[in-house]
Amino acid sequence: MALVALRLVLLLLAGDFPAASSESEDLRAAKPGNYRTADCEQYVFPGCPRDFSPVCGSDMITYPNECILCEKIRVEGRDIKVIRNEPC
């Protein structure tokens, strides 16, 4: 019985790997030349809207929206680009 349960768990885990590798392939396919600069001039700091429109930064962090990414750029002085307009 334990062997059957173990095999079932292994099969369930194996089913998740193709999706994970597909996501990492998508991120590798996004070349730095395809990244875009965040449009930070449209935001008035120090405040951002609470809307949830996630963006994936070139630092591989998902930001809740572009304004939050711009705030991090402004505070830390880092050059973070937008890889895509969805979670990393």
Side-chain angles (χ1 to χ4, degrees), residues 2 5-6 8 12-13 15 18 20 26 28 31-32 36 45 47 52 54 57 65 67 75-76 79 81 84-85:
L6 178 62
L8 180 60
L12 289 173
L13 288 175
D26 289 345
R28 278 184 255 135
K31 299 193 178 5
R36 72 172 177 82
F45 298 113
F52 186 69
N65 58 47
C67 182
V75 169
E76 295 185 6
D79 184 27
K81 304 291 185 188
R84 59 185 182 196
N85 293 327

Side-chain angles (χ1 to χ4, degrees), residues 10-31:
L10 291 174
L11 284 172
L12 289 173
L13 288 175
D16 288 341
F17 287 117
S21 66
S22 152
E23 289 175 14
S24 62
E25 287 173 13
D26 289 345
L27 290 176
R28 278 184 255 135
K31 299 193 178 5

Side-chain angles (χ1 to χ4, degrees), residues 54-75:
V55 294
C56 180
S58 58
D59 58 353
M60 301 311 297
I61 295 175
T62 298
Y63 294 90
N65 58 47
E66 189 174 61
C67 182
I68 302 293
L69 169 66
C70 289
E71 180 69 14
K72 181 155 187 174
I73 292 169
R74 185 180 72 82
V75 169

